[in-house]
């Protein structure tokens, strides 16, 4: 990749109405990165009298999580980022859920096949895997070797007649390069020998991200693609697709990635990344949007606390700096504190009532504690872990007799990995815990003792798994992660 700074921004160069979108994939909890990019798109649209769209990119069926779409809606609405068009609110360019648009993608793929911009690939996953391994062993870039691009029309027909499954790949030119303009970086050039013959349509008939994204951005008349920097390397493929279809291109703005304090790409190993966590852990949406608005330097340098409306007034995309903005939890907490303390007493009461002591939460706690108490005041003794932020257990509480501290911490790391993909139901958590216990020679009793200590801070509690379900996945895993971090620090 080479870069050169291009002349002044082409923004407003055309009279095309501004239409921007976020296109999250429903693969799990809504991510802070989605909120960050959502906020930028929202601001961009509101500043220019444009439209802000929400498109659900759910074509990766292997990673699809059913509950995720609703969680994305709830999280974005919680932050006040209302969209003008989307699967749930409709709009003139629907459907806005990609799984409902497969016929459109197939039709477009046929056009590419007909023009020679794409070809059918009959290679099996095993063959592809074997070749990829050979390439890696030979220190060559791992990419499709073009086997099926060389098939004659007769070969293709014979394979089709034999019913051999196929994917459709894009025919990237053998020579030359593709240059596109990034509004923040200037021109970026990729040599075609670094661009893979990307699969566009999978053998299950679903498109890949690249095809669906380009077709939809065109059909939905997106003027500006504002997305995270990690998509830069995909953009030459998209540019080639726009050219193959003979379509005009949107402008591209690739935003700097959020980073952990050590400057690595933001990850759940180092920071909670689920918006559900922040909501449940008592962060105010205004503090969160304010914090995300500080990322990237689009606001005037001398202001630190501002509303969404002020961001729409003052945010300047030309000011964005490309150094990775740090998602610093200490700063977010400070900001949240500023917001909480600025509330009136009545507002603070309402926030507590709606978020911490809501009827919904109390109702879920009741069956967990009712059978275990003799006085009402004991509710606090049993449920304190639920309302407290810090429940760090002492070693005497968490360490099983037969395990060392090191073994226990190593096991906690495994536990985090094992629980991350679990669907948050007590039966599923139980199964994951038992499987891991058996594999690592931890008895069920020891596993429960350790997890109970981490989640509740105590040796006895209301039923652990049910409590974890009510407490929520995001917060349970965060408690586990914080426990590991804190214990590592003690060790140093
Ligand atoms: N589905 C992609 C994502 O999950 C969209 C990327 C884009 O905005 O093009 O982020």
């Amino acid at each position: 990749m080479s870069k050169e700074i291009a002349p002044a921004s082409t923004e407003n160069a055309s009279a095309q109405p501004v239409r921007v979108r976020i296109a999250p994939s429903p693969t799990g909890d809504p991510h802070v990165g989605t909120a960050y990019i959502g906020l930028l798109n929202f601001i961009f649209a509101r500043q220019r009298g444009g439209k802000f769209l929400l498109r659900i990119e759910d074509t990766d069926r292997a990673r699809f999580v059913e509950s995720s779409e609703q969680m994305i809606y709830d999280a974005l609405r919680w932050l006040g980022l209302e969209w003008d068009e989307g699967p749930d609110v409709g709009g003139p360019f629907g459907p806005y859920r990609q799984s409902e648009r497969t016929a459109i993608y197939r039709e477009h793929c046929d056009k590419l096949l007909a023009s020679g911009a794409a070809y059918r690939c009959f290679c099996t996953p095993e063959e592809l895997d074997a070749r990829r391994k050979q390439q890696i062993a030979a220190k060559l870039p791992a990419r499709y070797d073009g086997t099926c691009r060389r098939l004659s029309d007769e070969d293709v027909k014979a394979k089709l007649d034999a019913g051999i499954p196929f994917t459709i790949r894009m025919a990237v030119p053998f020579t030359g390069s593709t240059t596109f303009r990034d509004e923040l970086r200037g021109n970026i050039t990729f040599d075609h020998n670094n661009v893979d013959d990307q699969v566009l349509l999978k053998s299950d008939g679903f498109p890949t991200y690249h095809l669906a994204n380009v077709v939809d951005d065109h059909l939905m008349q997106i003027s500006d693609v504002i997305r995270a920097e990690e998509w830069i390397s995909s953009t030459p493929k998209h540019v080639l697709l726009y050219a193959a279809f003979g379509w005009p291109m949107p402008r591209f703005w690739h935003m700097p990635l959020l980073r952990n304090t050590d400057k690595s790409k933001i990850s759940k190993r180092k920071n909670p990344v689920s918006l559900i966590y922040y909501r449940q852990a008592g962060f105010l949406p205004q503090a969160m949007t304010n914090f995300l608005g500080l990322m990237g330097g689009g606001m005037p340098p001398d202001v630190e606390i501002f509303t969404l409306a002020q961001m729409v007034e003052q945010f300047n995309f030309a000011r964005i700096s490309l150094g990775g903005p740090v998602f610093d939890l200490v700063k977010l907490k400070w900001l949240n504190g500023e917001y909480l303390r600025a509330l009136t007493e009545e507002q603070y009461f309402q926030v507590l009532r709606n978020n911490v002591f809501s009827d919904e939460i109390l109702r879920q706690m009741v069956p967990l504690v009712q059978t275990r108490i003799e006085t009402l005041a004991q509710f606090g003794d049993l449920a304190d872990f639920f309302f407290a932020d810090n429940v760090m257990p002492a070693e005497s509480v968490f360490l099983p007799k037969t395990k060392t501290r090191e073994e226990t911490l190593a096991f906690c790391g495994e536990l985090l990995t094992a629980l991350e993909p679990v669907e948050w139901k007590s039966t599923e958590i139980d199964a994951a815990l038992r499987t891991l216990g058996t594999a690592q020679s931890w008895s069920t009793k020891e596993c429960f003792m350790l997890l109970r200590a981490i989640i509740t801070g105590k040796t006895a509690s209301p039923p652990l798994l049910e409590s974890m379900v009510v407490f929520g996945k995001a917060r349970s895993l965060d408690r586990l992660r914080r426990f590991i971090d804190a214990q590592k620090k003690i060790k140093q």
Side-chain angles (χ1 to χ4, degrees):
M1 183 173 80
S2 62
K3 291 177 195 170
E4 99 196 25
I5 296 303
S9 169
T10 52
E11 207 189 332
N12 300 328
S14 75
Q16 189 193 0
V18 165
R19 292 175 55 79
V20 295
R21 86 307 188 266
I22 46 166
S25 297
T27 53
D29 276 16
H31 198 277
V32 283
T34 301
Y36 163 61
I37 298 295
L39 173 69
L40 295 170
N41 275 279
F42 174 89
I43 294 172
F44 192 90
R46 293 291 171 267
Q47 286 182 335
R48 293 161 180 77
K51 297 280 187 231
F52 170 50
L53 281 70
L54 172 61
R55 184 171 71 225
I56 294 290
E57 299 207 329
D58 57 348
T59 57
D60 186 345
R61 302 318 279 176
R63 294 180 62 218
F64 177 72
V65 175
E66 172 102 52
S67 54
S68 185
E69 183 177 315
Q70 188 59 47
M71 293 196 290
I72 293 171
Y73 297 158
D74 293 347
L76 291 172
R77 288 215 166 91
W78 171 65
L79 291 170
L81 305 177
E82 284 291 337
W83 46 101
D84 304 303
E85 298 171 27
D88 60 334
V89 296
F93 297 90
Y96 294 89
R97 197 180 283 113
Q98 288 189 328
S99 57
E100 293 165 18
R101 299 171 65 83
T102 49
I104 301 175
Y105 308 126
R106 273 196 287 267
E107 193 185 297
H108 281 86
C109 227
D110 285 345
K111 287 188 191 159
L112 296 177
L113 279 177
S115 71
Y119 61 94
R120 292 185 183 83
C121 174
F122 299 91
C123 296
T124 63
E126 294 73 32
E127 287 166 342
L128 294 172
D129 199 43
R131 277 180 235 155
R132 196 175 311 120
K133 283 187 182 136
Q134 279 170 9
Q135 288 171 333
I136 292 169
K139 300 216 167 6
L140 292 167
R143 47 176 301 192
Y144 185 58
D145 67 354
T147 304
C148 290
R149 197 162 167 176
R150 295 186 287 270
L151 292 176
S152 65
D153 289 351
E154 293 73 48
D155 288 339
V156 171
K157 189 171 177 314
K159 285 182 188 289
L160 285 176
D161 289 345
I164 301 177
F166 60 88
T167 60
I168 296 179
R169 286 183 187 272
M170 156 178 191
V172 174
F174 292 114
T175 56
S177 62
T178 286
T179 298
F180 61 89
R181 181 186 161 76
D182 177 283
E183 298 299 321
L184 298 176
R185 293 169 178 75
N187 285 352
I188 302 181
T189 299
F190 282 85
D191 279 344
H192 290 151
N193 55 27
N194 290 327
V195 183
D196 203 1
D197 277 5
Q198 178 67 50
V199 172
L200 299 175
L201 205 69
K202 293 174 273 185
S203 53
D204 63 2
F206 274 88
T208 56
Y209 153 72
H210 305 278
L211 175 71
N213 190 270
V214 166
V215 168
D216 286 352
D217 281 348
H218 173 70
L219 295 179
M220 295 179 184
Q221 297 183 7
I222 298 301
S223 61
D224 295 82
V225 168
I226 305 170
R227 61 184 168 196
E229 174 173 57
E230 62 191 321
W231 301 104
I232 289 181
S233 59
S234 297
T235 309
K237 296 175 186 171
H238 301 178
V239 171
L240 287 168
L241 283 174
Y242 282 104
F245 284 120
W247 292 337
M249 277 198 309
R251 285 174 291 256
F252 293 105
W253 307 71
H254 290 97
M255 296 296 151
L257 280 185
L258 300 180
R259 310 227 159 236
N260 300 310
T261 35
D262 64 5
K263 286 278 174 181
S264 56
K265 178 184 161 186
I266 192 167
S267 68
K268 58 184 161 201
R269 287 266 150 211
K270 306 215 166 112
N271 266 310
V273 292
S274 163
L275 290 168
I276 311 265
Y277 166 79
Y278 290 97
R279 186 174 186 174
Q280 291 181 339
F283 288 84
L284 295 178
Q286 309 89 290
M288 193 63 170
T289 46
N290 186 153
F291 177 66
L292 292 173
L294 284 169
M295 305 281 109
M299 287 299 282
D302 49 339
V303 294
E304 203 155 41
I305 297 196
F306 36 76
T307 61
L308 193 52
Q310 284 166 329
M311 276 184 252
V312 172
E313 262 166 40
Q314 296 170 27
F315 195 97
N316 183 351
F317 281 79
R319 203 160 29 211
I320 286 181
S321 84
L322 296 176
V326 175
F327 191 95
D328 180 359
L329 213 50
V330 175
K331 173 102 184 191
L332 173 58
K333 275 194 184 153
W334 167 79
L335 204 54
N336 199 53
E338 293 289 310
Y339 274 89
L340 280 175
R341 290 187 297 272
L343 297 177
T344 63
E345 229 173 86
E346 178 57 25
Q347 286 169 330
Y348 183 60
F349 171 77
Q350 288 303 339
V351 164
L352 273 177
R353 197 71 180 81
N354 295 336
N355 294 281
V356 183
F357 302 108
S358 70
D359 286 358
E360 191 196 340
I361 289 171
L362 292 175
R363 274 188 202 289
Q364 293 181 64
M365 297 302 295
V366 164
L368 299 178
V369 299
Q370 194 186 0
T371 55
R372 301 179 175 221
I373 54 178
E374 290 165 337
T375 71
L376 286 177
Q378 286 170 353
F379 176 81
D381 295 334
L382 285 166
D384 59 349
F385 75 92
F386 197 88
F387 300 101
D389 186 47
N390 190 355
V391 298
M392 208 53 74
E395 202 166 290
S396 57
V397 174
F398 74 77
L399 199 62
K401 284 195 182 60
T402 62
K403 308 287 181 205
T404 65
R405 195 184 143 76
E406 284 64 37
E407 285 166 346
T408 304
L409 281 186
F411 185 74
C412 286
E414 302 288 336
L415 197 53
L416 191 55
T417 311
L419 290 178
E420 248 153 25
V422 164
E423 194 190 341
W424 216 237
K425 291 181 184 160
S426 53
T427 46
E428 305 288 320
I429 305 172
D430 192 42
L433 213 54
R434 282 171 202 270
T435 309
L436 182 69
T438 310
Q440 305 273 325
S441 304
W442 274 62
S443 72
T444 310
K445 203 171 148 222
E446 287 170 335
C447 290
F448 271 79
M449 174 197 161
L450 174 65
L451 197 55
R452 187 187 313 282
I454 294 170
I455 301 294
T456 71
K458 296 184 180 170
T459 51
S461 74
L464 178 64
L465 301 180
E466 286 76 6
S467 300
M468 284 169 66
V469 171
V470 175
F471 194 48
K473 181 172 183 175
R475 271 195 299 175
S476 299
L477 295 188
D478 180 63
R479 208 158 260 190
L480 179 53
R481 195 176 45 71
R482 268 160 71 175
F483 172 79
I484 297 170
D485 285 352
Q487 294 303 326
K488 277 190 189 148
K489 278 198 191 111
I490 294 171
K491 198 178 154 194
Q492 280 159 9

